[in-house]
Amino acid sequence: MKITPGKVGLFAGFSAIILETMFKVTPPPAYGLCIACHTRDLTNWIVNNALGTSLGMAPVSKLIPVLTVIGVIIGALVAAKANNDFKLRTTHNMAVGFTLGLLVMNFALLMGGCPVRMALRTAYGDMIALVGLVFIAVGVYLGTEFYLKKA
């Protein structure tokens, strides 16, 4: 049997539904697949449990953190290995890469996280979320053009 991305996605989605039902997990409204928010919750959960602090996180992550970030990393690693596309790469300047990543995460959290959450907030009538979606689209377009010209 050939494993395709669609089959894996269906399996993961149905597994999440079953686990959510079994453990009565109730994420907050508009809490989609958000790497920024889930990373914040995972980091804050680790710091809270290790140091006894009370950093903020979504209620769904109080007992056990949402492990979306770890799942994405493991899934990307498995997919890259399966397709013989795994290569370790470094940036030209690690300080610039770190700073840009830090800025992206901070601005994502400032705007409310992921595009899915912003789309849902826009549907609720939040104009700030609409502005965020527009700027995400502009940033993706400009970033793509920059990298295509550089390649």
Side-chain angles (χ1 to χ4, degrees):
M1 177 171 105
K2 184 175 181 187
I3 298 175
T4 63
K7 289 178 186 175
V8 172
L10 285 173
F11 176 76
F14 283 118
S15 297
I17 291 168
I18 291 168
L19 290 172
E20 185 175 311
T21 305
M22 284 174 51
F23 294 108
K24 295 178 178 50
V25 175
T26 54
Y31 196 68
L33 174 66
C34 177
I35 298 301
C37 297
H38 294 184
T39 302
R40 176 206 58 211
D41 287 349
L42 179 60
T43 304
N44 288 354
W45 185 86
I46 291 169
V47 170
N48 286 345
N49 286 308
L51 302 177
T53 60
S54 60
L55 299 173
M57 65 180 83
V60 72
S61 295
K62 293 280 185 200
L63 182 61
I64 297 173
V66 179
L67 300 174
T68 309
V69 177
I70 295 170
V72 168
I73 292 170
I74 292 171
L77 177 65
V78 168
K81 289 280 192 180
N83 293 302
N84 295 323
D85 195 31
F86 181 76
K87 297 175 192 128
L88 291 176
R89 300 175 188 170
T90 59
T91 61
H92 296 293
N93 188 341
M94 293 185 78
V96 171
F98 177 80
T99 304
L100 291 175
L102 186 72
L103 289 172
V104 166
M105 288 297 286
N106 281 310
F107 285 125
L109 291 171
L110 180 67
M111 283 304 299
C114 63
V116 173
R117 180 182 263 188
M118 279 195 242
L120 290 171
R121 286 178 48 198
T122 301
Y124 288 132
D126 186 353
M127 289 299 113
I128 299 294
L130 178 62
V131 170
L133 277 175
V134 169
F135 278 105
I136 284 176
V138 169
V140 167
Y141 175 77
L142 291 175
T144 303
E145 288 298 317
F146 173 75
Y147 277 111
L148 286 177
K149 287 181 181 176
K150 195 172 184 179

